[in-house]
Amino acid sequence: MSLILTRRAIMLGAGAMLTGCDRIARNDTVRDALFNAQNFHKWAQRTLMARDALAREFSPDHISPIFRSNGTNNPNTTEYKALWRSGFADWRLQVTGLVDRPLSLSLAQLHSLPHREQITRHDCVEGWSAIGKWRGVPLKLLLDAARMKDRARYIVLHCADTMGDGNPYYESIDLVDAFHPQTILAFALNDQPLRVANGAPLRLRVERQLGYKHAKYLMKIEAVDDLKGIGGGKGGYWEDRAGYDWYAGI
């Protein structure tokens, strides 16, 4: 069973962790940047846990009878409705940005790739949680196939949902989370193709972060070296508009 690290656990353990900090944490400037609320949370999680430490996985008898929708229930745009009517036969996932070999993959092609199944808990920032069985392609597999350039630092996930205000939903993660073994592009939930409410045809599962990071209705994955030119520059839709933390580790 893997360690589940909560924000409360981080704060309770702060004193013990600080006594073991190396000399970089003694520098005033570095310390001020490192230990702001968001950076401290990220630093603490990755200091206490191995970078590839797994989120807890459950047995099938723990699967929740109902898996709620988080965020939008349906993009409901003309473009998305056309894709849905065709059973997503015309949908393509683009892998672009700082890559040597851009990809354009159909849902059938994704289904044919090696995949991973995992039963994990989804924790929503609104306070609810649910356990579900996800099946999907490891994100690492696509990034390796696209031959990501060395200067790439983040993966931006662009979605079909315009959130009702004309601004497409997007999220981003760094390469530690992108290459994590449980970070998958999921096309099935509880042995059934994703429903529209749960992100059809494809959504991100980044199991060590809160629900708003698990971008739904994926259309494009973009490797970038900086987030400043994307959306409002803070790395995600809710980060830009509501001040959510960019790093939402649990």
Side-chain angles (χ1 to χ4, degrees):
M1 181 183 302
S2 60
L3 171 66
I4 301 298
L5 182 65
T6 65
R7 293 173 188 261
R8 182 171 180 272
I10 290 172
M11 297 311 296
L12 288 174
M17 285 184 292
L18 290 177
T19 62
C21 291
D22 62 21
R23 70 187 63 182
I24 194 171
R26 300 190 190 107
N27 179 288
D28 290 343
T29 301
V30 173
R31 187 173 60 247
D32 289 346
L34 180 64
F35 294 115
N36 69 45
Q38 179 170 238
N39 285 349
F40 177 75
H41 182 206
K42 179 180 177 182
W43 173 85
Q45 186 187 55
R46 291 184 176 170
T47 299
L48 289 180
M49 301 171 68
R51 289 192 169 196
D52 59 353
L54 300 180
R56 180 182 176 185
E57 296 193 16
F58 297 82
S59 59
D61 58 298
H62 285 95
I63 292 174
S64 302
I66 297 174
F67 199 100
R68 291 174 54 180
S69 169
N70 61 307
T72 302
N73 291 323
N74 189 332
N76 208 32
T77 64
T78 300
E79 296 78 10
Y80 183 83
K81 287 188 283 189
L83 292 170
W84 173 78
R85 287 193 205 97
S86 71
F88 298 104
D90 299 323
W91 171 90
R92 296 292 184 275
L93 177 70
Q94 309 296 326
V95 182
T96 67
L98 297 176
V99 297
D100 289 325
R101 185 171 178 258
L103 305 177
S104 179
L105 300 168
S106 69
L107 194 56
Q109 287 173 314
L110 287 169
H111 286 178
S112 71
L113 293 174
H115 60 262
R116 175 186 170 91
E117 292 183 346
Q118 55 202 38
I119 301 175
T120 54
R121 187 178 66 201
H122 180 97
D123 291 302
C124 183
V125 71
E126 296 172 349
W128 61 269
S129 63
I131 293 173
K133 178 182 179 182
W134 303 94
R135 183 189 312 130
V137 178
L139 177 54
K140 177 184 186 301
L141 192 68
L142 299 191
L143 297 179
D144 286 344
R147 299 173 190 162
M148 191 170 60
K149 296 180 185 294
D150 289 343
R151 69 178 187 272
R153 293 292 178 267
Y154 303 95
I155 302 301
V156 181
L157 302 116
H158 300 272
C159 307
D161 185 8
T162 59
M163 298 300 288
D165 60 5
N167 292 297
Y169 194 91
Y170 80 100
E171 259 302 340
S172 62
I173 55 178
D174 65 16
L175 300 189
V176 172
D177 281 317
F179 283 89
H180 188 273
Q182 288 175 313
T183 298
I184 64 174
L185 304 177
F187 49 74
L189 171 60
N190 297 336
D191 296 318
Q192 298 294 325
L194 280 181
R195 299 185 303 124
V196 169
N198 294 123
L202 195 71
R203 70 174 293 162
L204 178 71
R205 293 300 304 175
V206 54
E207 300 296 355
R208 299 197 303 177
Q209 298 221 27
L210 288 171
Y212 64 88
K213 300 295 291 188
H214 298 232
K216 302 194 295 185
Y217 315 115
L218 291 180
M219 300 297 291
K220 183 173 73 171
I221 294 172
E222 182 183 11
V224 301
D225 58 358
D226 198 301
L227 298 173
K228 292 179 181 177
I230 311 294
K234 295 182 179 179
Y237 181 89
W238 290 116
E239 292 90 324
D240 291 340
R241 286 161 178 75
Y244 281 26
D245 286 346
W246 175 79
Y247 189 76
I250 52 176

